[in-house]
Amino acid sequence: MILDAIEKRQSIRAYKDEPIKEAELREVLEAGRMAPSGCNKQPWKFVVVQDRVMIGKLVHAIGGQEFVGKAAALVVACKDGTGYHIGKRYDGGVIDITIALDHMTLQAASIGIGTCWLGMYDGEEVEQLLGIPAQNPVVAILAMGYPEGEPGRKPRRKAFDDVVCWEKFTT
Ligand SMILES: Cc1cc2nc3c(=O)[nH]c(=O)nc-3n(C[C@H](O)[C@H](O)[C@H](O)COP(=O)(O)O)c2cc1C
């Protein structure tokens, strides 16, 4: 069942002109809230933007990607709490937030809401528009909405044997 949602999910960049039902939006956010995090720090804050004027303003800050202006909602994920590292190398907060947003994309897919992960944005501009403090930098943004039309084919993935090796790293 989870694999069904994983297979079903693909980036959706065309949305119906229709707000997301509040109960469904809350379910999607709940999937993020329940995500795991290092030491259960839950170092996130999710700013949900549905205001059409604000979404319009954010298009410029999100790389001028026009389809973003048609999204029913944007989830702007910010770091919250003290930073920490995983294995000295990785920013724990970024990893945790990434997991939480992925949970959201899968829950959304399972109830017929399309999402698109947005990595191309000007953090300072987004932060300024939404009043996000400097200590809560934006880590990722999700666009969401009911899909308009049929999405194209999901981009293919590398073959299983090209990405999985057993016991030792093999090329
Ligand atoms: C970290 C990250 C950043 C991304 N940034 C963007 C973006 O700014 N704009 C966009 O249209 N898609 C963006 N995507 C979506 C990817 O292009 C998409 O996930 C990838 O092509 C695989 O397609 P699929 O999501 O349909 O399976 C991003 C995805 C990830 C994971």
PDB file of all heavy atoms in Angstrom, residues 67-85:
ATOM      1  N   PHE A  67       4.111  27.784 -12.998  1.00  0.00           N
ATOM      2  CA  PHE A  67       3.080  26.846 -12.510  1.00  0.00           C
ATOM      3  C   PHE A  67       2.851  26.989 -11.006  1.00  0.00           C
ATOM      4  O   PHE A  67       1.772  26.679 -10.498  1.00  0.00           O
ATOM      5  CB  PHE A  67       3.446  25.392 -12.870  1.00  0.00           C
ATOM      6  CG  PHE A  67       4.559  24.793 -12.051  1.00  0.00           C
ATOM      7  CD1 PHE A  67       4.269  24.102 -10.877  1.00  0.00           C
ATOM      8  CD2 PHE A  67       5.885  24.913 -12.445  1.00  0.00           C
ATOM      9  CE1 PHE A  67       5.277  23.538 -10.117  1.00  0.00           C
ATOM     10  CE2 PHE A  67       6.908  24.357 -11.684  1.00  0.00           C
ATOM     11  CZ  PHE A  67       6.613  23.670 -10.511  1.00  0.00           C
ATOM     12  N   VAL A  68       3.855  27.504 -10.314  1.00  0.00           N
ATOM     13  CA  VAL A  68       3.742  27.676  -8.861  1.00  0.00           C
ATOM     14  C   VAL A  68       2.578  28.626  -8.532  1.00  0.00           C
ATOM     15  O   VAL A  68       1.881  28.461  -7.530  1.00  0.00           O
ATOM     16  CB  VAL A  68       5.071  28.191  -8.277  1.00  0.00           C
ATOM     17  CG1 VAL A  68       4.938  28.549  -6.803  1.00  0.00           C
ATOM     18  CG2 VAL A  68       6.174  27.145  -8.477  1.00  0.00           C
ATOM     19  N   GLY A  69       2.348  29.594  -9.421  1.00  0.00           N
ATOM     20  CA  GLY A  69       1.269  30.559  -9.207  1.00  0.00           C
ATOM     21  C   GLY A  69      -0.113  29.931  -9.243  1.00  0.00           C
ATOM     22  O   GLY A  69      -1.083  30.518  -8.782  1.00  0.00           O
ATOM     23  N   LYS A  70      -0.216  28.730  -9.797  1.00  0.00           N
ATOM     24  CA  LYS A  70      -1.513  28.039  -9.896  1.00  0.00           C
ATOM     25  C   LYS A  70      -1.711  27.038  -8.761  1.00  0.00           C
ATOM     26  O   LYS A  70      -2.768  26.399  -8.672  1.00  0.00           O
ATOM     27  CB  LYS A  70      -1.580  27.293 -11.241  1.00  0.00           C
ATOM     28  CG  LYS A  70      -1.510  28.204 -12.449  1.00  0.00           C
ATOM     29  CD  LYS A  70      -2.910  28.668 -12.801  1.00  0.00           C
ATOM     30  CE  LYS A  70      -3.001  29.829 -13.750  1.00  0.00           C
ATOM     31  NZ  LYS A  70      -2.352  29.761 -14.988  1.00  0.00           N
ATOM     32  N   ALA A  71      -0.694  26.862  -7.929  1.00  0.00           N
ATOM     33  CA  ALA A  71      -0.819  25.883  -6.834  1.00  0.00           C
ATOM     34  C   ALA A  71      -1.910  26.342  -5.864  1.00  0.00           C
ATOM     35  O   ALA A  71      -2.085  27.538  -5.628  1.00  0.00           O
ATOM     36  CB  ALA A  71       0.516  25.743  -6.113  1.00  0.00           C
ATOM     37  N   ALA A  72      -2.628  25.371  -5.307  1.00  0.00           N
ATOM     38  CA  ALA A  72      -3.659  25.707  -4.318  1.00  0.00           C
ATOM     39  C   ALA A  72      -3.011  26.067  -2.984  1.00  0.00           C
ATOM     40  O   ALA A  72      -3.550  26.856  -2.213  1.00  0.00           O
ATOM     41  CB  ALA A  72      -4.604  24.525  -4.143  1.00  0.00           C
ATOM     42  N   ALA A  73      -1.870  25.474  -2.722  1.00  0.00           N
ATOM     43  CA  ALA A  73      -1.174  25.750  -1.458  1.00  0.00           C
ATOM     44  C   ALA A  73       0.318  25.522  -1.644  1.00  0.00           C
ATOM     45  O   ALA A  73       0.740  24.707  -2.469  1.00  0.00           O
ATOM     46  CB  ALA A  73      -1.698  24.840  -0.342  1.00  0.00           C
ATOM     47  N   LEU A  74       1.074  26.259  -0.874  1.00  0.00           N
ATOM     48  CA  LEU A  74       2.520  26.016  -0.796  1.00  0.00           C
ATOM     49  C   LEU A  74       2.834  25.673   0.655  1.00  0.00           C
ATOM     50  O   LEU A  74       2.308  26.308   1.578  1.00  0.00           O
ATOM     51  CB  LEU A  74       3.314  27.258  -1.192  1.00  0.00           C
ATOM     52  CG  LEU A  74       3.113  27.792  -2.617  1.00  0.00           C
ATOM     53  CD1 LEU A  74       3.936  29.067  -2.811  1.00  0.00           C
ATOM     54  CD2 LEU A  74       3.517  26.758  -3.653  1.00  0.00           C
ATOM     55  N   VAL A  75       3.671  24.682   0.837  1.00  0.00           N
ATOM     56  CA  VAL A  75       4.166  24.383   2.182  1.00  0.00           C
ATOM     57  C   VAL A  75       5.633  24.794   2.202  1.00  0.00           C
ATOM     58  O   VAL A  75       6.455  24.215   1.475  1.00  0.00           O
ATOM     59  CB  VAL A  75       4.025  22.889   2.538  1.00  0.00           C
ATOM     60  CG1 VAL A  75       4.610  22.614   3.918  1.00  0.00           C
ATOM     61  CG2 VAL A  75       2.564  22.462   2.494  1.00  0.00           C
ATOM     62  N   VAL A  76       5.920  25.814   2.970  1.00  0.00           N
ATOM     63  CA  VAL A  76       7.290  26.324   3.060  1.00  0.00           C
ATOM     64  C   VAL A  76       7.881  25.762   4.353  1.00  0.00           C
ATOM     65  O   VAL A  76       7.427  26.092   5.454  1.00  0.00           O
ATOM     66  CB  VAL A  76       7.290  27.867   3.063  1.00  0.00           C
ATOM     67  CG1 VAL A  76       8.707  28.401   3.197  1.00  0.00           C
ATOM     68  CG2 VAL A  76       6.612  28.394   1.799  1.00  0.00           C
ATOM     69  N   ALA A  77       8.866  24.898   4.195  1.00  0.00           N
ATOM     70  CA  ALA A  77       9.417  24.195   5.361  1.00  0.00           C
ATOM     71  C   ALA A  77      10.673  24.904   5.845  1.00  0.00           C
ATOM     72  O   ALA A  77      11.639  25.093   5.094  1.00  0.00           O
ATOM     73  CB  ALA A  77       9.743  22.755   4.990  1.00  0.00           C
ATOM     74  N   CYS A  78      10.626  25.313   7.101  1.00  0.00           N
ATOM     75  CA  CYS A  78      11.741  26.061   7.698  1.00  0.00           C
ATOM     76  C   CYS A  78      12.367  25.254   8.824  1.00  0.00           C
ATOM     77  O   CYS A  78      11.681  24.478   9.501  1.00  0.00           O
ATOM     78  CB  CYS A  78      11.242  27.353   8.317  1.00  0.00           C
ATOM     79  SG  CYS A  78      10.226  28.335   7.217  1.00  0.00           S
ATOM     80  N   LYS A  79      13.628  25.509   9.048  1.00  0.00           N
ATOM     81  CA  LYS A  79      14.277  24.891  10.210  1.00  0.00           C
ATOM     82  C   LYS A  79      13.767  25.554  11.479  1.00  0.00           C
ATOM     83  O   LYS A  79      13.491  26.751  11.497  1.00  0.00           O
ATOM     84  CB  LYS A  79      15.789  25.108  10.140  1.00  0.00           C
ATOM     85  CG  LYS A  79      16.479  24.094   9.277  1.00  0.00           C
ATOM     86  CD  LYS A  79      17.864  23.821   9.828  1.00  0.00           C
ATOM     87  CE  LYS A  79      18.922  24.201   8.834  1.00  0.00           C
ATOM     88  NZ  LYS A  79      20.266  23.892   9.312  1.00  0.00           N
ATOM     89  N   ASP A  80      13.680  24.772  12.522  1.00  0.00           N
ATOM     90  CA  ASP A  80      13.271  25.347  13.804  1.00  0.00           C
ATOM     91  C   ASP A  80      14.002  24.587  14.897  1.00  0.00           C
ATOM     92  O   ASP A  80      13.953  23.366  14.939  1.00  0.00           O
ATOM     93  CB  ASP A  80      11.749  25.222  13.979  1.00  0.00           C
ATOM     94  CG  ASP A  80      11.230  26.119  15.086  1.00  0.00           C
ATOM     95  OD1 ASP A  80      11.819  27.194  15.304  1.00  0.00           O
ATOM     96  OD2 ASP A  80      10.245  25.741  15.732  1.00  0.00           O
ATOM     97  N   GLY A  81      14.674  25.298  15.738  1.00  0.00           N
ATOM     98  CA  GLY A  81      15.397  24.634  16.821  1.00  0.00           C
ATOM     99  C   GLY A  81      16.881  24.664  16.565  1.00  0.00           C
ATOM    100  O   GLY A  81      17.354  25.130  15.526  1.00  0.00           O
ATOM    101  N   THR A  82      17.618  24.152  17.536  1.00  0.00           N
ATOM    102  CA  THR A  82      19.074  24.212  17.436  1.00  0.00           C
ATOM    103  C   THR A  82      19.582  23.220  16.393  1.00  0.00           C
ATOM    104  O   THR A  82      19.023  22.139  16.240  1.00  0.00           O
ATOM    105  CB  THR A  82      19.708  23.871  18.791  1.00  0.00           C
ATOM    106  OG1 THR A  82      19.136  22.645  19.246  1.00  0.00           O
ATOM    107  CG2 THR A  82      19.453  24.958  19.816  1.00  0.00           C
ATOM    108  N   GLY A  83      20.624  23.620  15.703  1.00  0.00           N
ATOM    109  CA  GLY A  83      21.177  22.756  14.668  1.00  0.00           C
ATOM    110  C   GLY A  83      21.923  21.569  15.259  1.00  0.00           C
ATOM    111  O   GLY A  83      22.350  21.604  16.407  1.00  0.00           O
ATOM    112  N   TYR A  84      22.025  20.518  14.504  1.00  0.00           N
ATOM    113  CA  TYR A  84      22.842  19.384  14.917  1.00  0.00           C
ATOM    114  C   TYR A  84      23.305  18.658  13.663  1.00  0.00           C
ATOM    115  O   TYR A  84      22.777  18.887  12.582  1.00  0.00           O
ATOM    116  CB  TYR A  84      22.054  18.448  15.849  1.00  0.00           C
ATOM    117  CG  TYR A  84      21.005  17.614  15.168  1.00  0.00           C
ATOM    118  CD1 TYR A  84      21.218  16.262  14.914  1.00  0.00           C
ATOM    119  CD2 TYR A  84      19.798  18.174  14.765  1.00  0.00           C
ATOM    120  CE1 TYR A  84      20.253  15.499  14.289  1.00  0.00           C
ATOM    121  CE2 TYR A  84      18.836  17.416  14.144  1.00  0.00           C
ATOM    122  CZ  TYR A  84      19.066  16.077  13.906  1.00  0.00           C
ATOM    123  OH  TYR A  84      18.115  15.316  13.276  1.00  0.00           O
ATOM    124  N   HIS A  85      24.307  17.835  13.845  1.00  0.00           N
ATOM    125  CA  HIS A  85      24.846  17.141  12.685  1.00  0.00           C
ATOM    126  C   HIS A  85      24.710  15.648  12.839  1.00  0.00           C
ATOM    127  O   HIS A  85      24.742  15.114  13.948  1.00  0.00           O
ATOM    128  CB  HIS A  85      26.311  17.534  12.458  1.00  0.00           C
ATOM    129  CG  HIS A  85      26.425  18.860  11.807  1.00  0.00           C
ATOM    130  ND1 HIS A  85      26.268  20.036  12.509  1.00  0.00           N
ATOM    131  CD2 HIS A  85      26.633  19.210  10.515  1.00  0.00           C
ATOM    132  CE1 HIS A  85      26.378  21.053  11.666  1.00  0.00           C
ATOM    133  NE2 HIS A  85      26.606  20.586  10.461  1.00  0.00           N
TER     134      HIS A  85
END
